[in-house]
Amino acid sequence: MEMNEPLNSIAFQIGSLPVHWYGIILGTAVLAGLLLSIRESKKHGMSSDVFLDLVLFGVPAGVIGGRIYYVLFEWEFYVNNPGQIFAIWNGGLAIHGALIAAVITAIIFCKKRNLPFWRVADIAAPQIILAQAIGRWGNFMNQEAHGGPVDRGFLENLQLPEFIINQMYIYNSNPGGGLQPGYYYHQPTFLYESLWNLLGFFVLVGLRKLNLRLGELFFSYVIWYSAGRFFIEGLRTDSLMLTDSLRVAQVISLVLIGIAVTAIIVRRKKGQTELYYNPNYVPAVSGSEQATTQAKKPKKKKKSGKK
């Protein structure tokens, strides 16, 4: 069967500046998450500016954190190729590093704005996993985050469209199993994770209706994502490794599941009873919002002593 050229990772150019599909897809993922978070936050009486401002701080922090995490675990390569450290358009953003940086940023942000972190985290949780589902298609365009070699029939049996099958035909310098370096079809693990995350989005939206205790929707996200990542990571060929047989993402996933489950149990034992949808919750008002609120308050007229 005649092979087509793989999809171009560059969408278009502005002068001499190439605009990569990887960046466009990640931007789309962030925008979708932002719009849905703003919509949900209004149900909690929050200003639409909360998540807009949080994204302005959280996204850069996530990109930096994800890149630092990836570079540290691939230091042997980057120490000899320092010019590649900032080439994020070629991929290489570790989601666990991005999440750690984004969560730290969100905690600081909420503290400064006098907002409840767990409520903000619960509102954002479904949108985070949706953004991850969309973002995996950036890996698809870069022909990364794939699994080991398979034959074409394996991919056809998955009923995949031709453009995905064709994009999974990738050069492999170390295929293993007695195979020589060359072009092989690979398992579309990016697609497995994208579909798992998309399903997770609908599961988390459904859990909202159960009105879990505050913080438990975010912990449910951690458990769902980590469980899927643990199994899918075992199929990948480009994993960050702690040892020759120990994958970083699998270890981190197990640790995060343990932390999330423990946190739910401990917080319930300590009497955490506030619900995700709390009719008595009144969002804190601070900064410019406080000034605006005060300006709108009508002044009380002084009572005259005359009758």
Side-chain angles (χ1 to χ4, degrees):
M1 182 176 290
E2 184 180 350
M3 283 299 303
N4 298 316
E5 290 292 322
L7 298 172
N8 194 340
S9 63
I10 298 176
F12 56 88
Q13 292 201 186
I14 302 175
S16 60
L17 179 65
V19 178
H20 291 254
W21 278 112
Y22 188 81
I24 293 174
I25 292 171
L26 290 187
T28 301
V30 171
L31 181 60
L34 172 62
L35 294 177
L36 290 175
S37 293
I38 290 175
R39 179 181 176 183
E40 179 66 15
S41 68
K42 290 179 179 179
K43 298 177 184 178
H44 298 262
M46 288 187 180
S47 167
S48 58
D49 292 340
V50 169
F51 280 93
L52 180 60
D53 292 346
L54 181 55
V55 163
L56 293 177
F57 291 107
V59 170
V63 171
I64 294 171
R67 189 59 173 175
I68 290 174
Y69 186 101
Y70 185 86
V71 169
L72 287 177
F73 283 104
E74 290 287 321
W75 184 244
E76 187 175 342
F77 169 79
Y78 287 104
V79 72
N80 296 313
N81 300 274
Q84 291 294 312
I85 290 177
F86 301 102
I88 61 173
W89 50 87
N90 292 328
L93 291 178
I95 188 62
H96 284 128
L99 288 174
I100 291 169
V103 167
I104 292 173
T105 301
I107 291 172
I108 296 172
F109 176 86
C110 289
K111 186 174 182 180
K112 293 288 186 181
R113 293 292 185 90
N114 196 25
L115 293 166
F117 168 75
W118 291 117
R119 188 170 299 282
V120 171
D122 278 352
I123 292 172
Q127 286 71 251
I128 293 174
I129 203 166
L130 176 63
Q132 289 175 261
I134 298 171
R136 277 301 175 199
W137 287 89
N139 299 130
F140 166 74
M141 294 302 299
N142 281 354
Q143 292 187 307
E144 59 188 6
H146 56 72
V150 295
D151 58 41
R152 182 182 175 89
F154 175 87
L155 299 178
E156 291 176 343
N157 288 335
L158 295 178
Q159 305 300 313
L160 298 177
E162 185 64 29
F163 79 95
I164 292 181
I165 294 176
N166 186 61
Q167 193 73 352
M168 288 295 100
Y169 193 65
I170 305 167
Y171 183 80
N172 194 331
S173 60
N174 185 27
L179 298 175
Q180 297 297 317
Y183 282 90
Y184 296 91
Y185 290 101
H186 289 74
Q187 285 212 56
T189 47
F190 87 92
L191 180 61
Y192 302 160
E193 188 169 331
S194 179
L195 293 175
W196 175 258
N197 290 343
L198 182 61
L199 178 60
F201 168 73
F202 290 109
V203 169
L204 292 176
V205 169
L207 288 177
R208 280 177 176 167
K209 298 178 181 179
L210 298 181
N211 206 12
L212 300 177
R213 300 181 190 189
L214 201 61
E216 291 182 352
L217 196 60
F218 179 76
F219 290 129
S220 296
Y221 151 71
V222 171
I223 293 168
W224 181 275
Y225 172 71
S226 298
R229 181 62 185 271
F230 177 84
F231 290 104
I232 295 169
E233 190 69 20
L235 301 174
R236 286 176 56 171
T237 60
D238 59 348
S239 300
L240 298 176
M241 307 297 290
L242 281 175
T243 66
D244 290 340
S245 59
L246 201 58
R247 301 168 190 260
V248 175
Q250 287 185 312
V251 173
I252 297 297
S253 294
L254 289 178
V255 170
L256 289 176
I257 290 173
I259 291 174
V261 171
T262 302
I264 291 174
I265 294 172
V266 170
R267 293 173 86 244
R268 287 205 170 206
K269 284 186 176 181
K270 287 186 175 181
Q272 168 60 34
T273 57
E274 187 175 356
L275 301 178
Y276 174 66
Y277 284 120
N278 182 359
N280 299 319
Y281 169 68
V282 179
V285 180
S286 60
S288 60
E289 291 182 52
Q290 186 177 28
T292 303
T293 303
Q294 290 176 345
K296 290 181 179 179
K297 286 183 179 180
K299 294 182 179 179
K300 293 181 179 180
K301 294 182 179 180
K302 293 183 179 179
K303 291 183 179 181
S304 173
K306 296 180 181 180
K307 293 184 179 179

